[in-house]
Amino acid sequence: MGRFLQISGLVIGLAGLVLQICITVPTSMEAGRSFLGSLIFYFSFFTILTNIGAVLVHTALLSSTGYAWFPAFAGPRVRAGVAVAITLVFIIYATVLAQLWQPQGLFLVCDVLLHYVTPVLFVLWWLVAGADGTTRWRDISWWMVYPIAYLIYVLARAPVAGEVPYPFLDVAKNGAASVAISALAVTGLFLVLCVIAVLADRGISRIRGSGARPQ
């Protein structure tokens, strides 16, 4: 079951990422961005970066070559951290962003794959086979670096690029106070998910341990 979920997550994740860049870059260039600017725009989304992380985890664990190239992504700390981040992708899109636009055609396909399918597959895989009881409370401080660094990047890039990947981070339109509240809310949610991940990891380890004991 775990391997099936992992292979499915890898194939669907790669398909979603490749399809997304194939339709995003031309559309972005038609909107006036350069090719390089379009690539930067594509890689400026938390969803894209997190799905890349999920693909690297699957790649690292499914092949010896991948493990050699991406050893850090095979570790339990990164596996759990990606599970937290991709859960955030699912929640924020489903509760906030999905209401803001109505994608059509291939954009809709990519939206479903990268915001719903890959998060569900990755979290299910982590619960079935990726969690091993080795995460620690101190790991949360490492996981928090990702959303905080991303937020700093987005806000620093906004005045230069004149755009943000997510509307609730647009200081020019919403004001600094509104953006600060939104950022704190999302960061707080990420922290809550981190706590849940550590508890889940430990709980799953205990269940497996008790199930392995002779009766």
Side-chain angles (χ1 to χ4, degrees):
M1 180 64 174
R3 189 170 181 82
F4 170 77
L5 290 170
Q6 204 168 13
I7 293 173
S8 299
L10 175 59
V11 172
I12 293 174
L14 277 174
L17 289 168
V18 171
L19 180 58
Q20 185 72 73
I21 197 170
C22 287
I23 61 177
T24 295
V25 170
T27 303
S28 177
M29 292 178 69
E30 288 176 6
R33 298 183 186 90
S34 65
F35 176 72
L36 179 59
S38 297
L39 286 178
I40 293 174
F41 176 70
Y42 171 80
F43 286 107
S44 292
F45 286 86
F46 191 86
T47 296
I48 297 299
L49 297 176
T50 305
N51 271 277
I52 290 173
V55 164
L56 291 177
V57 169
H58 292 320
T59 302
L61 293 171
L62 282 170
S63 73
S64 57
T65 303
Y67 187 88
W69 289 350
F70 313 113
F73 287 90
R77 175 189 289 174
V78 174
R79 297 198 304 258
V82 172
V84 170
I86 209 161
T87 300
L88 184 72
V89 167
F90 178 94
I91 293 174
I92 295 300
Y93 190 83
T95 60
V96 178
L97 298 174
Q99 324 302 323
L100 301 181
W101 77 312
Q102 291 74 43
Q104 304 293 325
L106 292 178
F107 280 103
L108 176 59
V109 173
C110 289
D111 264 27
V112 172
L113 293 181
L114 299 178
H115 292 108
Y116 297 113
V117 180
T118 55
V120 170
L121 287 174
F122 191 91
V123 172
L124 282 177
W125 165 77
W126 183 74
L127 292 173
V128 169
D132 61 2
T134 62
T135 57
R136 298 293 179 263
W137 292 113
R138 63 176 176 270
D139 292 336
I140 293 177
S141 61
W142 289 99
W143 299 337
M144 292 298 297
V145 170
Y146 175 39
I148 292 173
Y150 176 80
L151 178 63
I152 292 172
Y153 161 74
V154 168
L155 295 180
R157 177 178 177 270
V160 178
E163 63 185 12
V164 291
Y166 300 106
F168 57 83
L169 295 178
D170 193 336
V171 175
K173 288 185 178 180
N174 304 319
S178 176
V179 170
I181 292 172
S182 297
L184 285 173
V186 174
T187 304
L189 175 58
F190 189 91
L191 180 59
V192 170
L193 293 174
C194 288
V195 173
I196 293 173
V198 174
L199 293 175
D201 184 58
R202 294 183 173 189
I204 291 169
S205 179
R206 292 193 191 99
I207 292 171
R208 288 176 184 162
S210 62
R213 294 185 195 129
Q215 301 299 319

